[in-house]
Amino acid sequence: MENVSEPSSSLSFASSSYLSNGSSNINESPASGSDPVANPDYLSLTRLSTSLEKLLDDVEFDYSDAEIIVGGISVGVHRCILASRSQFFHELFKKGNCGSGNEGKPKYLMSDLVPYGMVGCEAFRVFLNYLYTGKVKTSPPDVSTCVDTSCSHDACRPAIDYAVELMYASATFQMKELVLLVQRRLLNFVEKALVEDVVPILVAAFHCQLDQLLSHCIQRIARSDLDNISLEKELPHKVSSDIKSLRLKYQQEVESGAGELDPMHEKRIKRIHKALDSDDVELVKLLLVESGVTLNDAYALHYAIAYCDPKVVKEVLALGIADLNLRNSRGYTVLHVAARRKEPSVIVALLAKGACALESTLDGQTAVTICQRLTRPKDYNEKTKQGQESNKDRICIDVLEREVRRNPMAGNMSSSSPVLAEDLQMRLYYLENRVAFARLLYPSEARLAMEIADADSTSEFAGLSALKRSSGNLKEVDLNETPTMQNKRFHSRLEALLKTVDTGRRYFPHCSEVLDKFLEDDMPDFCFLGKGTPEEQRIKRMRFMELKEDVQKAFDKDKAVSNRSGLSSSSSSSSSPKESVNYRGRKK
């Protein structure tokens, strides 16, 4: 991790105070009691530092001759500066093996340069600033703080993740003095942070071969109550073995709290977890019967939520035999574990089954607080246009906050509401098109609501595509289907659609308000076509069919325009806000 030449490192050491406290004040003297004005060397280095900083910050001074792709973003760099400051880049540029970027510049992928960890764009720019100027810039708050306003940000997960990213860059690119600085920061986190958040620090210390930091992390985790399953899943095998050996020395048995675990009991639990890893819930059911171990004994739902596919979580929930408010050895309920995972479909599924959003961990954090302290302002405040995928972090926080504030009340539409035979088909048309419009305008939220309602598993769910046939898919006749079978199929679809709408109203009220207004303007009162005189009903049905045709024409026209302009419109998830505007413009 040494520099190529001594003169290059003298730039960074000339500002030793920057290394000690992270200050970016270029007028600060490197030696206490000295006068910067009387120190020509210091003034010269300060001017040089300021001039080099322009190469990074001022677009008018963009003379970069190579680019490094970081998370899909191209960052221009100057090979002569990087090579003179870092032995890593010196060796890299000597090879000359890379792709070609903009204007024929050599292109390098950050994922290839740093194989063991991730370096974000913000952390890399701070690293580059240090290479160019010798100054360590203040951590960007958008990526080094969380969205919890009560947090001091001295050990929350975004602060840790940012420091870990900066460590991966510093260690990989062999900037020894910056490694020492960042290591001091990470050592400060180790005792303050939640033990789960020490794990990424330990992994970085292991891959970057930072023995002092690694030893502190191992000691902290060994003294903690982090379960052995998490150790095996999240840490390198050698490290997890060292921690277990150290725990035996301390005579700590985390999983039971006291005494020894029954080896056979532990073996049965591991079999259940392996079955969950294989997505085989049927095998889980068989193992539960044979072993006498319950889902709660194995903390199987906690395990599935932490490590398995959301579909597996849903299947385990469907068994109906797991305690949703059971606490594991860390004092976490399943909703707390789901909040750490930040997967919206899992959180909504748990809430729909009755998980309590008000339960707190042993240190007083609710599920929403956990989510907030894991989320960066950059991600939470990311602008999302209608028709684009919403940020999962924001969805999780919004859903949990809304659940905490929610007053128990019946939705506008209940799946148990009686539906008269004469307007059953029109209700289905209305609901299918409502959900179809939701998929166009809010694809992430609509998909999530459909998953929870099992709407995608019903026999038909055509939405707008059904309008392409003049008769409509509900009018099609299957000669092998009896009227009773057809009625049962229609009601099954209706229940799934109603549940989808109810889920949307509960967890995404703002999206639902937009849809309500849209459908109120463009499809008024068509779910009550059975009311009124026979002549009024006939006129309503005629207007309804006209509106369907008009909507389909607008949809096809916008689709053709998007194709001509080179925009993808193959799925509702790629629809643009322009489409929703055109729908409004075609109101009858």
Side-chain angles (χ1 to χ4, degrees):
M1 299 182 188
E2 295 179 359
N3 294 325
V4 175
S5 61
E6 194 65 31
S8 63
S9 63
S10 65
L11 176 63
S12 59
F13 288 128
S15 301
S16 60
S17 60
Y18 303 153
L19 295 177
S20 63
N21 58 22
S23 171
S24 60
N25 180 6
I26 61 174
N27 293 319
E28 188 172 349
S29 174
S32 59
S34 62
D35 183 4
V37 178
N39 189 334
D41 290 339
Y42 176 77
L43 289 176
S44 178
L45 287 173
T46 298
R47 293 192 184 99
L48 176 59
S49 176
T50 304
S51 299
L52 290 173
E53 195 167 19
K54 291 181 181 178
L55 297 176
L56 292 174
D57 299 337
D58 195 333
V59 293
E60 293 186 7
F61 290 84
D62 181 13
Y63 302 109
S64 60
D65 59 0
E67 58 184 44
I68 297 178
I69 308 301
V70 189
I73 299 174
S74 175
V75 180
V77 298
H78 305 77
R79 284 178 291 174
C80 60
I81 296 178
L82 268 61
S84 67
R85 293 280 282 144
S86 163
Q87 183 67 27
F88 175 92
F89 284 114
H90 175 63
E91 297 294 337
L92 175 69
F93 297 147
K94 276 202 309 184
K95 296 176 183 177
N97 296 325
C98 61
S100 179
N102 297 328
E103 303 175 359
K105 297 177 182 179
K107 179 177 68 174
Y108 304 87
L109 299 178
M110 180 63 73
S111 55
D112 294 337
L113 302 179
V114 186
Y116 293 114
M118 192 199 81
V119 177
C121 191
E122 293 82 5
F124 183 57
R125 290 186 185 278
V126 169
F127 172 80
L128 283 180
N129 191 86
Y130 176 75
L131 251 65
Y132 279 60
T133 69
K135 299 181 295 186
V136 180
K137 295 180 69 174
T138 304
S139 304
D142 250 16
V143 295
S144 62
T145 63
C146 68
V147 297
D148 182 6
T149 55
S150 65
C151 179
S152 59
H153 310 304
D154 60 345
C156 58
R157 187 57 177 266
I160 292 173
D161 287 343
Y162 169 79
V164 166
E165 290 180 18
L166 195 55
M167 174 58 81
Y168 276 122
S170 305
T172 302
F173 303 142
Q174 301 176 13
M175 295 303 297
K176 185 175 181 180
E177 60 269 29
L178 195 55
V179 168
L180 295 175
L181 172 65
V182 179
Q183 182 173 239
R184 287 202 297 271
R185 181 67 172 146
L186 290 174
L187 283 168
N188 187 49
F189 284 141
V190 171
E191 295 302 325
K192 291 182 178 180
L194 291 172
V195 66
E196 294 93 334
D197 295 333
V198 175
V199 170
I201 302 176
L202 186 153
V203 173
F206 175 80
H207 289 306
C208 297
Q209 300 179 13
L210 305 170
D211 293 340
Q212 180 188 9
L213 181 60
L214 180 62
S215 176
H216 276 71
C217 291
I218 289 176
Q219 293 285 339
R220 168 72 201 282
I221 293 177
R223 295 195 308 267
S224 75
D225 56 359
L226 188 65
D227 57 272
N228 287 337
I229 295 170
S230 298
L231 299 181
E232 295 166 1
K233 282 283 186 179
E234 301 175 27
L235 297 178
H237 176 71
K238 181 183 183 306
V239 176
S240 63
S241 298
D242 289 346
I243 292 174
K244 290 177 183 178
S245 299
L246 197 55
R247 280 182 169 175
L248 288 175
K249 181 180 177 182
Y250 293 156
Q251 296 183 346
Q252 291 181 343
E253 290 294 344
V254 173
E255 289 164 332
S256 63
E260 294 185 359
L261 284 175
D262 178 359
M264 283 304 299
H265 182 76
E266 188 173 9
K267 188 174 182 180
R268 291 168 186 146
I269 289 176
K270 286 186 176 180
R271 285 177 179 171
I272 293 172
H273 291 168
K274 286 182 179 179
L276 289 170
D277 286 334
S278 302
D279 299 348
D280 194 341
V281 178
E282 289 300 318
L283 178 57
V284 170
K285 291 163 64 176
L286 181 62
L287 291 172
L288 291 175
V289 173
E290 290 181 349
S291 66
V293 176
T294 67
L295 280 181
N296 293 338
D297 292 337
Y299 295 110
L301 188 53
H302 288 79
Y303 183 90
I305 289 170
Y307 303 114
C308 299
D309 187 275
K311 290 183 179 179
V312 176
V313 175
K314 199 171 182 180
E315 291 179 25
V316 175
L317 279 173
L319 298 178
I321 54 176
D323 182 357
L324 294 181
N325 295 311
L326 176 70
R327 294 179 181 271
N328 63 10
S329 61
R330 297 275 297 132
Y332 285 4
T333 67
V334 290
L335 193 58
H336 296 148
V337 177
R340 289 199 63 85
R341 181 171 176 175
K342 293 194 296 183
E343 174 55 52
S345 61
V346 173
I347 290 175
V348 173
L350 290 173
L351 293 174
K353 287 291 185 178
C356 180
L358 298 177
E359 292 283 346
S360 298
T361 60
L362 299 179
D363 59 349
Q365 293 191 40
T366 62
V368 67
T369 307
I370 292 172
C371 262
Q372 289 172 337
R373 295 200 174 185
L374 292 170
T375 302
R376 308 181 303 177
K378 176 185 176 181
D379 300 323
Y380 184 79
N381 297 322
E382 181 182 14
K383 299 293 184 182
T384 304
K385 296 181 180 178
Q386 289 181 350
Q388 293 182 352
E389 295 287 334
S390 299
N391 182 276
K392 284 188 175 183
D393 296 345
R394 184 179 188 115
I395 290 178
C396 290
I397 292 174
D398 287 352
V399 165
L400 288 168
E401 285 181 337
R402 197 168 293 121
E403 183 66 14
V404 170
R405 296 192 304 263
R406 187 175 66 94
N407 294 320
M409 57 183 295
N412 293 341
M413 296 184 179
S414 171
S415 57
S416 61
S417 300
V419 180
L420 299 176
E422 59 263 27
D423 70 345
L424 172 61
Q425 293 184 357
M426 291 306 164
R427 287 288 297 277
L428 283 170
Y429 274 131
Y430 172 86
L431 291 170
E432 278 206 347
N433 285 305
R434 178 190 174 89
V435 175
F437 282 124
R439 295 171 70 184
L440 286 168
L441 301 178
Y442 303 100
S444 299
E445 290 82 351
R447 183 169 59 249
L448 187 54
M450 289 174 64
E451 288 176 359
I452 299 305
D454 288 320
D456 52 350
S457 65
T458 56
S459 58
E460 296 178 63
F461 198 85
L464 291 174
S465 63
L467 304 180
K468 292 184 178 179
R469 296 184 288 273
S470 59
S471 60
N473 67 322
L474 295 176
K475 299 284 187 181
E476 292 179 352
V477 177
D478 182 351
L479 296 179
N480 296 319
E481 185 178 47
T482 65
T484 301
M485 292 169 60
Q486 184 186 62
N487 192 53
K488 183 178 180 180
R489 175 168 59 87
F490 285 175
H491 275 87
S492 175
R493 293 174 62 201
L494 182 67
E495 288 177 5
L497 290 165
L498 284 170
K499 188 175 179 182
T500 300
V501 173
D502 283 343
T503 302
R505 291 186 189 282
R506 176 177 176 180
Y507 296 113
F508 311 111
H510 300 302
C511 300
S512 296
E513 288 174 9
V514 172
L515 288 169
D516 288 340
K517 177 63 176 173
F518 174 68
L519 295 174
E520 181 182 330
D521 291 343
D522 291 314
M523 297 178 68
D525 207 25
F526 281 116
C527 60
F528 300 106
L529 293 177
K531 293 186 177 182
T533 65
E535 179 62 19
E536 289 173 341
Q537 293 178 34
R538 186 185 67 81
I539 293 174
K540 285 182 180 180
R541 286 187 171 86
M542 287 179 58
R543 288 174 57 201
F544 183 79
M545 296 305 294
E546 290 173 358
L547 177 60
K548 287 200 303 179
E549 293 174 3
D550 188 62
V551 167
Q552 185 58 46
K553 288 177 183 178
F555 180 77
D556 290 340
K557 185 173 181 179
D558 290 333
K559 196 173 181 181
V561 170
S562 295
N563 287 334
R564 284 198 299 270
S565 62
L567 298 175
S568 170
S569 57
S570 59
S571 69
S572 61
S573 294
S574 61
S575 302
S576 68
K578 179 181 177 182
E579 291 175 327
S580 64
V581 173
N582 284 332
Y583 289 136
R584 284 191 179 276
R586 298 180 185 278
K587 183 177 69 173
K588 284 288 186 182

